[in-house]
Amino acid sequence: LRWIVSLGLVAAVVWFADWRQVLHALAHVHYGWAVACVGLMVLERVVVTGRWRTLLVGLGVQRPFLGLLRIQFGANFLGLFL
């Protein structure tokens, strides 16, 4: 049910968006700030992954850092839609 609601909401946003206004806004993006925001997001995920890995090691669970980081990014992506 959550998937259906999520897909419906995304479809509504795509349908009702004023794409000329969206493209106009994108044309005026300061790319330095956009790159800085993405960099901060990646740094935040790295820190959170490190915290989770520390908790898992404390429980005796050994997982590679990059594997956990991939899970973090996947969970964030899915969380945007659910």
Side-chain angles (χ1 to χ4, degrees), residues 6-76:
S6 296
L7 287 174
L9 290 172
V10 168
V13 168
V14 169
W15 180 262
F16 290 112
D18 181 357
W19 289 103
R20 280 180 280 173
Q21 189 175 5
V22 170
L23 292 174
H24 177 74
L26 287 175
H28 293 88
V29 168
H30 296 282
Y31 292 105
W33 286 110
V35 169
C37 289
V38 170
L40 286 173
M41 183 206 69
V42 170
L43 178 63
E44 185 264 344
R45 286 293 96 194
V46 167
V47 170
V48 168
T49 300
R51 291 173 61 197
W52 272 107
R53 188 165 190 270
T54 301
L55 290 170
L56 290 171
V57 168
L59 294 172
V61 178
Q62 298 292 328
R63 294 288 185 258
F65 182 83
L66 290 178
L68 293 173
L69 186 61
R70 190 175 75 217
I71 291 169
Q72 281 285 340
F73 280 118
N76 275 3

